[in-house]
Amino acid sequence: MSPLGKLLVIGFGPGDMEHITKRALDALAESEVIIGYNTYMDLIRPLLNGQEIVRTGMTEEVSRAQEAVRQAEMGKKVAVISSGDAGVYGMAGLVYEVLMQKGWRREDGVEVEVVPGISAIQSCASLLGAPVMHDACTISLSDHLTPWETIVKRVEAAASADFVIALYNPRSGRRTRQIVETQSILLRYRDPQTPVGLVKSAYRERQQVIVTTLEDMLNHDIGMLTTVIIGNSSTMVYDGLIVTPRGYQRKYTLDASEQALKPHQRLRTEAEPWSLGAQGDRALNASQAGAAPAAPGPSASGAAAAVATQARPQAVAAVQAAPSAAQAGSAPASLAAEALSRLAAGGRLPGEANARWSGQAPAASADGAAAVAGAGAVAGTATGGFGKPALFEVGVSPGVGNKKFTARQMALLAEITGDEGELEYTPDHQIVLRVPCADPEELVGRLRDERLIVMPIGDVFKVKACDFCNMEKDDAVPVAEHLQVVLGGLQAPKETSIALNGCGMACYGAVLEDIGIVYRKGGYDLFLGGKKFGRNAHAAQPVAEGIPREQITDIVENIIAEYKEKGHPNERFHKFFKRVGVVAGFRHEDAPATVEVNAVCGD
Ligand code: SAH
């Protein structure tokens, strides 16, 4: 028997001579035969010096691996080449699989050396800035060897866990739908403005680098040689570069030479309240203080009933308050019905179909949602993983116009939050309450008993209003309250603000919101399709002036009904208005062209 040869499985990096490792160069030089896909052979041609070459087509990986094993078993030193890293969708695994089939063993079989290379996720990231930087994963969209269902599950898991994602094999001549489907899954979890990098032929002759956004990425060229890098919820763009922060800003002031935390303080748990160590300390404090953790268990059916009876007067009020809504056509009537069921159910909670993309609400809160949605009839209990109470997330405010919390309301919020939960004050004049909770309906009942407005978080309609100059200019308050009862918290294609200003000063900025209403001289002016954030922010389009009180709520309800019915998932109201052209009889007009400015952060 001839002495055994050697298999060198070599990743030669992105494709230029500068980014190939020394070991890869030496391994190529010492091999007698080089086996590889045609394009790769062309890329490494300058490195060849008389080796026997076996070129194959792209789909012939199996015969390439078999041939390599056969020649190595005949005693030759055989190089099998992959671009990037041979262990990342490359030839390394297949070579081992062919060997395993033959009963190969390390101690007496052919020697195998896998030579690592720079993979596309790294080479492409380097051209984009520093988009990877934090927890990331690679997903190949090629379903030639992997069931599409599996790929979908992985995209969903990575999207919901807020990984930076590098998509390999995003698209080919035949596989064109995969990237479209993937984008729509990602949009269910991430902001449409999430930065996305498209790098084609990194470090090769036709290199192309594009910085775009999740919603816009399909408007660019994506092909076989493109890697798509999707940012996470904190990724930003600065001067055309994509950067994902590692988290230094949590502890350091990046533009100061002197840091508030001295080196010896930086690793203490007080300096890292987000750490596992700090969580352990909090749990210990809570149990020492005698605060029993909310125990999962059957919630009293009495509590559920209390919520149902507590909710009913409001629900009835919602329908009564909209007498003309029923006459105005089927859409507002069904909105009122939806409001009725929502209130009877104790309010819908986070995590439904349009789960929020920020990753703040873990899957556990969906349990909370389910439990509360069924509260009218069933006494549900919510449990997260491993028997822990689910994290329950809900928005709380003292009123639509009223901005004043009472001391009792604050005390209740503090009591409910305890050591385990958190309260976050948001720009929407709302406090977001996040607490582990085994009995959401009881909790909602307690909040409402204290006259707090309790609202779901996520892709819902939010009704906001100024404080009506400390309730002195209060003519429009009933309209705001009516809209809150009928529309507040309804599921929306995308989070939508309906904002009301109580006088012509419009100091609350209602005209910048998705739907703005300004009360003036006894009538209501209506503004549609504002975009408050982003480089191309614009005010809403004024569509009507002086609408009488009796008509304004019906008109807004009609607009909402149309948007709910015809809006695409994740389509913001201003985009919807532009796309459909006419909403509830109001015609869209293009805003004047915006001036391009360099964003400091965000998009
Ligand atoms: N082993 C390779 C990956 C092979 S799969 C590696 O580790 O990089 C083929 C996919 O890799 C392509 O569809 C593309 O998504 C990505 N890719 C490989 N080389 C690339 C390059 N030079 N520029 C951009 N993407 C590349």
Side-chain angles (χ1 to χ4, degrees):
M1 201 173 130
S2 58
L4 293 172
K6 178 170 179 182
L7 279 164
L8 293 143
V9 193
I10 304 169
F12 61 82
D16 71 331
M17 294 305 125
E18 303 265 290
H19 293 91
I20 183 166
T21 67
K22 171 152 187 323
R23 178 62 199 136
L25 290 172
D26 292 347
L28 281 172
E30 76 191 48
S31 57
E32 297 156 82
V33 185
I34 303 181
I35 300 186
Y37 159 52
N38 288 328
T39 311
Y40 298 166
M41 283 300 186
D42 294 340
L43 284 169
I44 61 154
R45 191 191 307 276
L47 303 173
L48 304 181
N49 56 358
Q51 294 97 329
E52 184 189 332
I53 302 297
V54 181
R55 301 167 70 107
T56 65
M58 186 171 61
T59 53
E60 294 156 55
E61 301 106 339
V62 175
S63 56
R64 233 181 285 156
Q66 288 167 337
E67 178 63 11
V69 170
R70 198 179 65 82
Q71 298 235 17
E73 285 177 339
M74 281 165 35
K76 292 193 183 159
K77 274 195 162 183
V78 184
V80 182
I81 56 170
S82 288
S83 73
D85 185 274
V88 180
Y89 316 114
M91 288 296 289
L94 184 55
V95 166
Y96 275 121
E97 283 181 72
V98 168
L99 288 168
M100 277 149 53
Q101 279 298 319
K102 302 183 94 177
W104 168 86
R105 287 152 54 105
R106 291 173 80 170
E107 61 270 30
D108 53 10
V110 289
E111 190 187 341
V112 181
E113 179 182 344
V114 178
V115 180
I118 300 174
S119 187
I121 183 173
Q122 296 148 323
S123 52
C124 297
S126 71
L127 295 168
L128 290 165
V132 175
M133 216 34 228
H134 212 296
D135 302 331
C137 65
T138 65
I139 300 178
S140 166
L141 295 192
S142 170
D143 52 4
H144 288 311
L145 302 171
T146 308
W148 177 243
E149 258 178 37
T150 306
I151 298 172
V152 165
K153 269 194 206 148
R154 291 179 185 166
V155 172
E156 282 184 340
S160 66
D162 205 27
F163 278 90
V164 171
I165 306 170
L167 298 173
Y168 282 60
N169 301 303
R171 191 185 158 135
S172 68
R174 287 200 196 168
R175 291 182 308 100
T176 53
R177 278 178 48 210
Q178 286 75 357
I179 187 70
V180 179
E181 295 278 317
T182 301
Q183 183 209 30
S184 78
I185 297 171
L186 291 169
L187 279 169
R188 292 214 298 272
Y189 295 90
R190 295 203 186 165
D191 189 326
Q193 294 300 313
T194 303
V196 168
L198 307 174
V199 182
K200 190 170 188 176
S201 299
Y203 297 100
R204 297 189 194 173
E205 226 170 69
R206 294 196 185 83
Q207 173 178 301
Q208 207 181 71
V209 180
I210 292 168
V211 172
T212 174
T213 59
L214 189 53
E215 70 178 343
D216 196 44
M217 60 184 252
L218 297 183
N219 297 326
H220 300 274
D221 176 28
I222 297 179
M224 289 251 290
L225 266 172
T226 308
T227 297
V228 178
I229 298 190
I230 320 271
N232 70 14
S233 60
S234 39
T235 301
M236 49 198 179
V237 173
Y238 181 85
D239 205 6
L241 295 170
I242 305 184
V243 178
T244 300
R246 173 85 194 279
Y248 288 100
Q249 78 288 354
R250 291 208 169 97
K251 233 189 242 185
Y252 298 83
T253 313
L254 296 183
D255 59 359
S257 52
E258 187 105 339
Q259 295 297 329
L261 288 173
K262 301 297 160 224
H264 67 281
Q265 299 170 323
R266 286 180 196 153
L267 299 180
R268 290 187 184 159
T269 39
E270 313 87 87
E272 301 174 336
W274 51 82
S275 67
L276 179 59
Q279 277 178 23
D281 289 355
R282 271 205 297 277
L284 193 66
N285 291 342
S287 64
Q288 280 169 353
S299 68
S301 52
V307 175
T309 45
Q310 197 269 336
R312 184 151 302 132
Q314 280 172 281
V316 172
V319 176
Q320 284 172 345
S324 51
Q327 298 149 13
S330 60
S334 68
L335 284 182
E338 197 182 331
L340 175 72
S341 66
R342 172 169 43 98
L343 288 167
R348 208 181 293 117
L349 289 150
E352 293 201 69
N354 323 17
R356 40 187 299 149
W357 50 262
S358 74
Q360 288 283 326
S365 64
D367 297 353
V372 171
V378 188
T381 53
T383 47
F386 308 105
K388 280 194 187 153
L391 190 64
F392 182 80
E393 182 185 43
V394 78
V396 183
S397 74
V400 193
N402 176 20
K403 302 281 181 279
K404 292 178 179 166
F405 285 87
T406 64
R408 282 174 58 116
Q409 287 172 333
M410 291 309 262
L412 176 66
L413 291 176
E415 188 211 317
I416 288 174
T417 307
D419 291 315
E420 305 276 335
E422 64 174 22
L423 290 170
E424 182 186 345
Y425 182 62
T426 74
D428 287 334
H429 289 302
Q430 203 181 40
I431 285 183
V432 172
L433 173 66
R434 290 187 198 95
V435 282
C437 173
D439 193 352
E441 59 269 54
E442 191 249 356
L443 191 141
V444 170
R446 288 179 66 195
L447 294 166
R448 287 191 169 155
D449 282 347
E450 208 49 73
R451 308 200 67 75
L452 286 161
I453 291 188
V454 185
M455 294 293 291
I457 302 289
D459 287 342
V460 294
F461 291 98
K462 280 194 181 148
V463 178
K464 316 196 286 191
C466 62
D467 72 351
F468 302 97
C469 290
N470 213 2
M471 288 294 168
E472 278 173 20
K473 296 181 184 169
D474 61 354
D475 303 29
V477 170
V479 168
E481 282 179 349
H482 173 93
L483 292 173
Q484 163 60 27
V485 172
V486 177
L487 304 175
L490 289 188
Q491 280 254 295
K494 188 76 194 164
E495 189 174 332
T496 305
S497 290
I498 304 164
L500 197 146
N501 257 120
C503 78
M505 287 285 289
C507 66
Y508 191 64
V511 302
L512 299 173
E513 301 285 354
D514 299 296
I515 296 173
I517 305 164
V518 178
Y519 176 79
R520 196 169 55 95
K521 293 190 218 141
Y524 294 82
D525 300 345
L526 181 63
F527 299 79
L528 296 182
K531 182 174 187 290
K532 199 170 169 179
F533 304 109
R535 282 193 300 167
N536 55 350
H538 53 77
Q541 178 192 328
V543 294
E545 278 189 3
I547 301 171
R549 156 76 185 94
E550 316 77 76
Q551 288 175 17
I552 182 68
T553 50
D554 287 357
I555 288 173
V556 174
E557 285 164 38
N558 276 324
I559 292 167
I560 297 307
E562 231 178 275
Y563 176 40
K564 268 172 79 71
E565 188 196 328
K566 298 184 197 153
H568 296 156
N570 274 306
E571 188 179 40
R572 288 208 178 268
F573 182 80
H574 70 96
K575 291 213 159 170
F576 165 74
F577 189 26
K578 188 174 163 89
R579 177 173 61 82
V580 298
V582 179
V583 174
F586 299 114
R587 184 167 297 281
H588 177 269
E589 279 167 19
D590 270 329
T594 50
V595 182
E596 280 285 315
V597 285
N598 276 335
V600 176
C601 72
D603 63 331

Short mmCIF file of all heavy atoms in Angstrom, two decimals, residues 11 13-15 40 43 82-91 117-124 127 140 167-171 175 199-204 223-228, ligand 1:
data_model
loop_
_atom_site.label_atom_id
_atom_site.label_comp_id
_atom_site.label_asym_id
_atom_site.label_seq_id
_atom_site.Cartn_x
_atom_site.Cartn_y
_atom_site.Cartn_z
N GLY A 11 -8.95 27.87 3.33
CA GLY A 11 -9.77 29.06 3.08
C GLY A 11 -8.83 30.17 2.66
O GLY A 11 -7.90 30.50 3.39
N GLY A 13 -9.64 33.34 2.03
CA GLY A 13 -10.09 34.70 2.34
C GLY A 13 -10.97 35.27 1.25
O GLY A 13 -11.42 34.56 0.35
N PRO A 14 -11.22 36.58 1.29
CA PRO A 14 -12.20 37.18 0.39
C PRO A 14 -11.82 37.10 -1.08
O PRO A 14 -12.69 37.12 -1.94
CB PRO A 14 -12.28 38.63 0.86
CG PRO A 14 -11.04 38.88 1.66
CD PRO A 14 -10.67 37.56 2.26
N GLY A 15 -10.53 37.07 -1.39
CA GLY A 15 -10.20 36.92 -2.80
C GLY A 15 -9.02 37.73 -3.28
O GLY A 15 -8.62 37.61 -4.43
N TYR A 40 -12.72 30.17 -8.17
CA TYR A 40 -11.70 30.26 -7.12
C TYR A 40 -10.31 30.01 -7.70
O TYR A 40 -9.33 30.64 -7.30
CB TYR A 40 -11.98 29.26 -5.99
CG TYR A 40 -13.28 29.50 -5.27
CD1 TYR A 40 -13.82 28.52 -4.43
CD2 TYR A 40 -13.97 30.69 -5.40
CE1 TYR A 40 -15.00 28.73 -3.76
CE2 TYR A 40 -15.17 30.92 -4.74
CZ TYR A 40 -15.68 29.93 -3.93
OH TYR A 40 -16.85 30.14 -3.27
N LEU A 43 -9.07 33.10 -9.07
CA LEU A 43 -8.65 34.06 -8.06
C LEU A 43 -7.25 33.78 -7.52
O LEU A 43 -6.50 34.69 -7.19
CB LEU A 43 -9.65 34.07 -6.89
CG LEU A 43 -10.97 34.80 -7.16
CD1 LEU A 43 -11.99 34.51 -6.06
CD2 LEU A 43 -10.75 36.30 -7.26
N SER A 82 -11.45 26.81 -0.64
CA SER A 82 -12.73 27.51 -0.48
C SER A 82 -12.42 28.99 -0.38
O SER A 82 -11.38 29.36 0.15
CB SER A 82 -13.41 27.12 0.84
OG SER A 82 -13.92 25.82 0.81
N SER A 83 -13.37 29.82 -0.78
CA SER A 83 -13.17 31.24 -0.51
C SER A 83 -13.50 31.47 0.96
O SER A 83 -14.11 30.63 1.61
CB SER A 83 -14.09 32.09 -1.39
OG SER A 83 -15.41 31.99 -0.93
N GLY A 84 -13.09 32.59 1.47
CA GLY A 84 -13.38 32.90 2.88
C GLY A 84 -12.75 31.88 3.79
O GLY A 84 -11.55 31.61 3.71
N ASP A 85 -13.55 31.30 4.64
CA ASP A 85 -13.09 30.25 5.53
C ASP A 85 -13.67 28.93 5.04
O ASP A 85 -14.86 28.87 4.71
CB ASP A 85 -13.57 30.53 6.96
CG ASP A 85 -13.01 29.52 7.93
OD1 ASP A 85 -13.62 28.45 8.09
OD2 ASP A 85 -11.95 29.79 8.51
N ALA A 86 -12.84 27.89 5.01
CA ALA A 86 -13.30 26.61 4.47
C ALA A 86 -14.32 25.95 5.39
O ALA A 86 -15.07 25.06 4.98
CB ALA A 86 -12.11 25.68 4.25
N GLY A 87 -14.39 26.40 6.64
CA GLY A 87 -15.34 25.82 7.58
C GLY A 87 -16.65 26.58 7.67
O GLY A 87 -17.50 26.25 8.48
N VAL A 88 -16.80 27.63 6.87
CA VAL A 88 -18.05 28.42 6.88
C VAL A 88 -18.69 28.25 5.50
O VAL A 88 -18.26 28.87 4.53
CB VAL A 88 -17.77 29.91 7.17
CG1 VAL A 88 -19.06 30.72 7.18
CG2 VAL A 88 -17.05 30.06 8.51
N TYR A 89 -19.70 27.41 5.40
CA TYR A 89 -20.33 27.06 4.12
C TYR A 89 -19.25 26.75 3.06
O TYR A 89 -19.40 27.13 1.90
CB TYR A 89 -21.25 28.17 3.60
CG TYR A 89 -22.15 28.80 4.65
CD1 TYR A 89 -22.00 30.13 5.04
CD2 TYR A 89 -23.15 28.05 5.26
CE1 TYR A 89 -22.82 30.70 6.00
CE2 TYR A 89 -23.98 28.61 6.23
CZ TYR A 89 -23.80 29.94 6.60
OH TYR A 89 -24.61 30.50 7.55
N GLY A 90 -18.18 26.11 3.50
CA GLY A 90 -17.08 25.81 2.57
C GLY A 90 -16.90 24.29 2.46
O GLY A 90 -17.84 23.53 2.68
N MET A 91 -15.69 23.88 2.10
CA MET A 91 -15.47 22.46 1.78
C MET A 91 -15.06 21.60 2.98
O MET A 91 -15.04 20.38 2.89
CB MET A 91 -14.38 22.37 0.70
CG MET A 91 -14.83 22.83 -0.67
SD MET A 91 -16.15 21.81 -1.35
CE MET A 91 -15.26 20.29 -1.70
N GLY A 117 -9.47 30.89 7.16
CA GLY A 117 -9.38 32.08 6.32
C GLY A 117 -10.34 33.14 6.82
O GLY A 117 -11.16 32.89 7.70
N ILE A 118 -10.25 34.33 6.27
CA ILE A 118 -11.16 35.42 6.66
C ILE A 118 -12.49 35.19 5.96
O ILE A 118 -12.55 35.19 4.72
CB ILE A 118 -10.57 36.78 6.25
CG1 ILE A 118 -9.23 37.00 6.96
CG2 ILE A 118 -11.55 37.90 6.57
CD1 ILE A 118 -8.52 38.26 6.50
N SER A 119 -13.54 34.99 6.74
CA SER A 119 -14.85 34.71 6.16
C SER A 119 -15.53 36.01 5.71
O SER A 119 -15.16 37.11 6.14
CB SER A 119 -15.71 33.99 7.19
OG SER A 119 -16.92 33.57 6.61
N ALA A 120 -16.58 35.85 4.88
CA ALA A 120 -17.25 37.04 4.32
C ALA A 120 -17.81 37.95 5.41
O ALA A 120 -17.80 39.17 5.27
CB ALA A 120 -18.37 36.61 3.37
N ILE A 121 -18.29 37.37 6.50
CA ILE A 121 -18.87 38.24 7.55
C ILE A 121 -17.80 39.22 8.04
O ILE A 121 -18.09 40.38 8.33
CB ILE A 121 -19.46 37.40 8.72
CG1 ILE A 121 -20.12 38.33 9.76
CG2 ILE A 121 -18.44 36.51 9.39
CD1 ILE A 121 -20.88 37.61 10.86
N GLN A 122 -16.56 38.76 8.09
CA GLN A 122 -15.49 39.64 8.59
C GLN A 122 -15.01 40.60 7.50
O GLN A 122 -14.85 41.80 7.75
CB GLN A 122 -14.32 38.78 9.09
CG GLN A 122 -14.74 37.95 10.28
CD GLN A 122 -14.02 36.63 10.35
OE1 GLN A 122 -13.76 36.00 9.33
NE2 GLN A 122 -13.69 36.21 11.56
N SER A 123 -14.77 40.06 6.31
CA SER A 123 -14.25 40.96 5.28
C SER A 123 -15.29 42.02 4.93
O SER A 123 -14.97 43.21 4.80
CB SER A 123 -13.83 40.18 4.03
OG SER A 123 -14.88 39.35 3.59
N CYS A 124 -16.56 41.61 4.84
CA CYS A 124 -17.60 42.58 4.47
C CYS A 124 -17.79 43.59 5.60
O CYS A 124 -17.95 44.79 5.36
CB CYS A 124 -18.91 41.87 4.14
SG CYS A 124 -18.72 40.79 2.70
N LEU A 127 -15.44 46.50 5.59
CA LEU A 127 -15.68 47.55 4.58
C LEU A 127 -16.84 48.46 4.96
O LEU A 127 -16.98 49.56 4.44
CB LEU A 127 -15.95 46.90 3.22
CG LEU A 127 -14.77 46.15 2.63
CD1 LEU A 127 -15.21 45.30 1.45
CD2 LEU A 127 -13.68 47.13 2.20
N SER A 140 -27.35 31.22 6.05
CA SER A 140 -27.32 31.09 4.60
C SER A 140 -28.76 30.97 4.13
O SER A 140 -29.53 30.18 4.67
CB SER A 140 -26.52 29.85 4.20
OG SER A 140 -26.79 29.56 2.84
N LEU A 167 -26.25 37.57 6.25
CA LEU A 167 -26.92 36.63 5.34
C LEU A 167 -25.96 36.27 4.22
O LEU A 167 -25.52 37.14 3.45
CB LEU A 167 -28.17 37.27 4.75
CG LEU A 167 -29.27 37.68 5.73
CD1 LEU A 167 -30.37 38.45 5.02
CD2 LEU A 167 -29.86 36.44 6.42
N TYR A 168 -25.63 34.98 4.15
CA TYR A 168 -24.81 34.47 3.06
C TYR A 168 -25.76 33.91 2.00
O TYR A 168 -26.91 33.58 2.29
CB TYR A 168 -23.91 33.33 3.55
CG TYR A 168 -22.68 33.74 4.33
CD1 TYR A 168 -22.77 34.46 5.51
CD2 TYR A 168 -21.41 33.35 3.89
CE1 TYR A 168 -21.64 34.80 6.24
CE2 TYR A 168 -20.27 33.68 4.61
CZ TYR A 168 -20.39 34.41 5.78
OH TYR A 168 -19.27 34.74 6.50
N ASN A 169 -25.28 33.75 0.80
CA ASN A 169 -26.08 33.23 -0.31
C ASN A 169 -27.47 33.87 -0.35
O ASN A 169 -28.48 33.18 -0.40
CB ASN A 169 -26.24 31.70 -0.18
CG ASN A 169 -24.89 31.01 -0.17
OD1 ASN A 169 -24.11 31.16 -1.10
ND2 ASN A 169 -24.61 30.25 0.88
N PRO A 170 -27.54 35.19 -0.31
CA PRO A 170 -28.86 35.82 -0.17
C PRO A 170 -29.74 35.64 -1.41
O PRO A 170 -30.95 35.59 -1.29
CB PRO A 170 -28.53 37.29 0.05
CG PRO A 170 -27.19 37.49 -0.57
CD PRO A 170 -26.46 36.19 -0.38
N ARG A 171 -29.11 35.52 -2.56
CA ARG A 171 -29.92 35.52 -3.78
C ARG A 171 -29.10 34.98 -4.94
O ARG A 171 -27.90 35.22 -5.02
CB ARG A 171 -30.30 36.97 -4.06
CG ARG A 171 -31.34 37.15 -5.10
CD ARG A 171 -31.54 38.61 -5.37
NE ARG A 171 -32.13 38.68 -6.68
CZ ARG A 171 -33.15 39.42 -7.01
NH1 ARG A 171 -33.66 40.24 -6.14
NH2 ARG A 171 -33.64 39.39 -8.20
N ARG A 175 -32.91 31.67 -7.09
CA ARG A 175 -33.46 31.87 -5.74
C ARG A 175 -33.64 33.38 -5.50
O ARG A 175 -32.76 34.05 -4.99
CB ARG A 175 -32.54 31.28 -4.67
CG ARG A 175 -32.48 29.77 -4.67
CD ARG A 175 -31.58 29.26 -3.56
NE ARG A 175 -30.28 29.90 -3.58
CZ ARG A 175 -29.91 30.89 -2.81
NH1 ARG A 175 -30.72 31.37 -1.89
NH2 ARG A 175 -28.69 31.41 -2.91
N VAL A 199 -22.57 44.13 0.79
CA VAL A 199 -21.22 44.15 0.23
C VAL A 199 -21.13 43.06 -0.83
O VAL A 199 -21.41 41.89 -0.58
CB VAL A 199 -20.15 43.93 1.30
CG1 VAL A 199 -18.77 44.01 0.67
CG2 VAL A 199 -20.29 44.96 2.40
N LYS A 200 -20.76 43.49 -2.00
CA LYS A 200 -20.63 42.56 -3.12
C LYS A 200 -19.16 42.46 -3.49
O LYS A 200 -18.47 43.48 -3.55
CB LYS A 200 -21.43 43.12 -4.29
CG LYS A 200 -21.59 42.20 -5.43
CD LYS A 200 -22.59 42.79 -6.40
CE LYS A 200 -22.92 41.78 -7.47
NZ LYS A 200 -23.95 42.29 -8.36
N SER A 201 -18.69 41.25 -3.69
CA SER A 201 -17.31 41.02 -4.12
C SER A 201 -16.28 41.77 -3.27
O SER A 201 -15.43 42.48 -3.80
CB SER A 201 -17.12 41.43 -5.59
OG SER A 201 -17.95 40.65 -6.39
N ALA A 202 -16.39 41.59 -1.96
CA ALA A 202 -15.45 42.26 -1.06
C ALA A 202 -14.02 41.93 -1.44
O ALA A 202 -13.69 40.77 -1.70
CB ALA A 202 -15.71 41.81 0.38
N TYR A 203 -13.19 42.93 -1.50
CA TYR A 203 -11.75 42.79 -1.80
C TYR A 203 -11.50 42.10 -3.14
O TYR A 203 -10.50 41.44 -3.34
CB TYR A 203 -11.03 42.08 -0.66
CG TYR A 203 -11.09 42.87 0.63
CD1 TYR A 203 -12.02 42.56 1.61
CD2 TYR A 203 -10.25 43.95 0.83
CE1 TYR A 203 -12.10 43.31 2.78
CE2 TYR A 203 -10.32 44.71 1.99
CZ TYR A 203 -11.24 44.38 2.95
OH TYR A 203 -11.32 45.13 4.11
N ARG A 204 -12.47 42.21 -4.04
CA ARG A 204 -12.26 41.71 -5.40
C ARG A 204 -12.45 42.88 -6.35
O ARG A 204 -12.87 43.97 -5.95
CB ARG A 204 -13.26 40.59 -5.73
CG ARG A 204 -13.08 39.40 -4.83
CD ARG A 204 -13.91 38.22 -5.29
NE ARG A 204 -13.98 37.22 -4.22
CZ ARG A 204 -14.72 36.15 -4.26
NH1 ARG A 204 -15.49 35.91 -5.31
NH2 ARG A 204 -14.72 35.29 -3.26
N GLY A 223 -26.83 39.92 -5.11
CA GLY A 223 -26.61 38.74 -5.95
C GLY A 223 -25.84 37.65 -5.23
O GLY A 223 -25.71 37.68 -4.01
N MET A 224 -25.33 36.73 -6.02
CA MET A 224 -24.61 35.56 -5.50
C MET A 224 -23.38 35.94 -4.70
O MET A 224 -22.94 35.21 -3.85
CB MET A 224 -24.07 34.75 -6.69
CG MET A 224 -25.12 34.06 -7.45
SD MET A 224 -24.94 32.34 -7.14
CE MET A 224 -23.43 31.97 -8.00
N LEU A 225 -22.83 37.08 -5.05
CA LEU A 225 -21.57 37.44 -4.39
C LEU A 225 -21.76 38.53 -3.35
O LEU A 225 -20.84 39.24 -3.00
CB LEU A 225 -20.55 37.87 -5.43
CG LEU A 225 -19.68 36.69 -5.83
CD1 LEU A 225 -18.78 37.04 -6.98
CD2 LEU A 225 -18.84 36.22 -4.63
N THR A 226 -23.02 38.66 -2.89
CA THR A 226 -23.30 39.70 -1.90
C THR A 226 -23.44 39.06 -0.53
O THR A 226 -24.01 37.98 -0.39
CB THR A 226 -24.63 40.42 -2.23
OG1 THR A 226 -24.59 40.85 -3.57
CG2 THR A 226 -24.88 41.59 -1.30
N THR A 227 -22.93 39.73 0.48
CA THR A 227 -23.26 39.40 1.86
C THR A 227 -24.06 40.56 2.41
O THR A 227 -23.71 41.72 2.20
CB THR A 227 -21.98 39.16 2.69
OG1 THR A 227 -21.31 38.04 2.13
CG2 THR A 227 -22.30 38.87 4.14
N VAL A 228 -25.17 40.22 3.09
CA VAL A 228 -26.07 41.24 3.62
C VAL A 228 -25.89 41.26 5.13
O VAL A 228 -26.06 40.23 5.79
CB VAL A 228 -27.54 40.89 3.28
CG1 VAL A 228 -28.49 41.92 3.86
CG2 VAL A 228 -27.72 40.76 1.78
N1 SAH B 1 -16.70 30.07 2.75
C1 SAH B 1 -17.20 31.37 2.40
C2 SAH B 1 -18.68 31.39 2.18
C3 SAH B 1 -19.15 30.62 1.00
S1 SAH B 1 -20.87 30.72 0.75
C4 SAH B 1 -16.78 32.37 3.47
O1 SAH B 1 -16.41 31.97 4.57
O2 SAH B 1 -16.82 33.55 3.20
C5 SAH B 1 -20.95 31.93 -0.53
C6 SAH B 1 -21.47 33.26 -0.01
O3 SAH B 1 -20.43 33.87 0.75
C7 SAH B 1 -21.83 34.26 -1.04
O4 SAH B 1 -23.17 34.07 -1.50
C8 SAH B 1 -21.69 35.56 -0.30
O5 SAH B 1 -22.84 35.76 0.51
C9 SAH B 1 -20.52 35.27 0.62
N2 SAH B 1 -19.23 35.75 0.07
C10 SAH B 1 -18.17 35.01 -0.22
N3 SAH B 1 -17.16 35.78 -0.67
C11 SAH B 1 -17.61 37.06 -0.67
C12 SAH B 1 -17.03 38.32 -1.01
N4 SAH B 1 -15.79 38.41 -1.47
N5 SAH B 1 -17.79 39.42 -0.87
C13 SAH B 1 -19.04 39.35 -0.40
N6 SAH B 1 -19.62 38.19 -0.05
C14 SAH B 1 -18.92 37.05 -0.19
#
